[in-house]
Amino acid sequence: MPKPRILIVDDDKEVRGLLKEILTNAGFYIFSAETGEEALLKVRQSKPDLVILDIALPGISGMKASQILKQDPETGYIPVILLSGKCKSASDISDGLNQGADDFITKPFSKNVLVARINALLRRLGGLREPEEILRAEKIEVNISTRTVIASKRNLRLTPKEFDLLCVLIRKKNRVLNRSFLLESVWGYEYFGTTRTVDKHIENLRKKLGPAGQIIETVPGVGYRLVSNE
């Protein structure tokens, strides 16, 4: 099995070297970039399995680069971990996650925690991949093994969180799911942001699904329900 490929983006040579040493020893294949512009180019060319982006990059910031990658259908599915040089408030972290990043780690970091969170993220993205399992709800079809989505006969490219959120909604169709349940199911117990994250991802998911997204109903004061007769 090939090693997972991780792109490290940091303008500090020592940090890049430290991350490369830690993650190489953990069994990953590592390549790097120093700027946001270089990161965007390498992600589009090489399609890594995961990107670690420092926030404070020269030129295009890590936050902006993450947003650009997540909004691009060709790269939006690639998980991104934002790396901060100083402790951020819950609202700062929530902003980064709301813009599409999949995790947020502050420096200094424990190497064991870093590796564990990378592995947890990769497992979470691959954990639903069972051979040819198909989820269906009205005009939506989700192939778990290939992580592809068809809605109203259109192929969609969802971010990892959007894909996992849609899977939870379909698996629990016709049931009202509160925001806390969706946060735990999709973002995991480590996430400590606000339920606004769920609302934002539901909004983006509906837009991408187009007319098919109408089956995702808002239940005022509670959460969401995907309504389907299938």
Side-chain angles (χ1 to χ4, degrees), residues 39-90:
L40 294 176
L41 179 63
K42 288 193 173 182
V43 171
R44 288 164 179 160
Q45 289 178 339
S46 303
K47 300 296 193 300
D49 295 298
L50 184 142
V51 180
I52 299 178
L53 265 172
D54 182 56
I55 287 181
L57 294 172
I60 297 177
S61 70
M63 190 80 79
K64 182 62 177 179
S66 172
Q67 186 178 15
I68 291 172
L69 291 173
K70 289 300 184 180
Q71 290 176 347
D72 186 340
E74 294 298 318
T75 57
Y77 66 95
I78 299 173
V80 172
I81 295 177
L82 291 176
L83 192 64
S84 171
K86 59 180 179 179
C87 184
K88 292 286 184 178
S89 68

Side-chain angles (χ1 to χ4, degrees), residues 6-215:
I6 297 178
L7 173 63
I8 296 170
V9 189
D10 199 303
D11 61 328
D12 188 319
K13 183 178 180 180
E14 291 186 5
V15 173
R16 292 198 309 274
L18 175 62
L19 286 169
K20 182 175 182 179
E21 179 180 358
I22 292 172
L23 298 180
T24 299
N25 290 338
F28 300 108
Y29 173 80
I30 304 301
F31 59 115
S32 63
E34 298 181 30
T35 67
E37 291 86 350
E38 184 183 4
L40 294 176
L41 179 63
K42 288 193 173 182
V43 171
R44 288 164 179 160
Q45 289 178 339
S46 303
K47 300 296 193 300
D49 295 298
L50 184 142
V51 180
I52 299 178
L53 265 172
D54 182 56
I55 287 181
L57 294 172
I60 297 177
S61 70
M63 190 80 79
K64 182 62 177 179
S66 172
Q67 186 178 15
I68 291 172
L69 291 173
K70 289 300 184 180
Q71 290 176 347
D72 186 340
E74 294 298 318
T75 57
Y77 66 95
I78 299 173
V80 172
I81 295 177
L82 291 176
L83 192 64
S84 171
K86 59 180 179 179
C87 184
K88 292 286 184 178
S89 68
S91 61
D92 290 330
I93 296 174
S94 187
D95 286 344
L97 296 173
N98 283 336
Q99 292 179 17
D102 299 278
D103 205 347
F104 197 110
I105 296 175
T106 57
K107 304 174 190 174
F109 49 81
S110 160
K111 66 178 182 180
N112 291 334
V113 170
L114 173 65
V115 172
R117 291 177 75 167
I118 290 173
N119 283 328
L121 179 56
L122 292 175
R123 280 198 306 272
R124 196 153 67 236
L125 295 178
L128 296 175
R129 296 177 188 175
E130 302 171 10
E132 294 306 317
E133 181 184 359
I134 305 294
L135 301 179
R136 292 186 176 88
E138 304 305 320
K139 297 181 180 180
I140 302 171
E141 181 177 290
V142 180
N143 187 311
I144 301 298
S145 60
T146 60
R147 292 185 71 86
T148 55
V149 177
I150 298 174
S152 301
K153 300 182 180 180
R154 294 183 301 115
N155 291 309
L156 306 183
R157 292 298 291 272
L158 304 182
T159 68
K161 287 293 186 293
E162 291 165 353
F163 181 89
D164 292 346
L165 182 58
L166 179 60
C167 288
V168 172
L169 289 167
I170 295 178
R171 289 182 189 278
K172 303 290 185 180
K173 58 190 175 185
N174 299 317
R175 294 174 57 182
V176 177
L177 307 177
N178 64 44
R179 291 172 174 82
S180 295
F181 173 82
L182 292 172
L183 276 174
E184 289 183 4
S185 299
V186 177
W187 281 265
Y189 291 97
E190 294 178 346
Y191 180 74
F192 56 89
T194 69
T195 54
R196 174 59 183 159
T197 296
V198 174
D199 298 333
K200 183 63 177 178
H201 280 74
I202 289 287
E203 178 185 342
N204 293 339
L205 185 57
R206 282 172 172 159
K207 287 179 180 178
K208 291 185 178 181
L209 290 171
Q214 295 177 2
I215 66 173

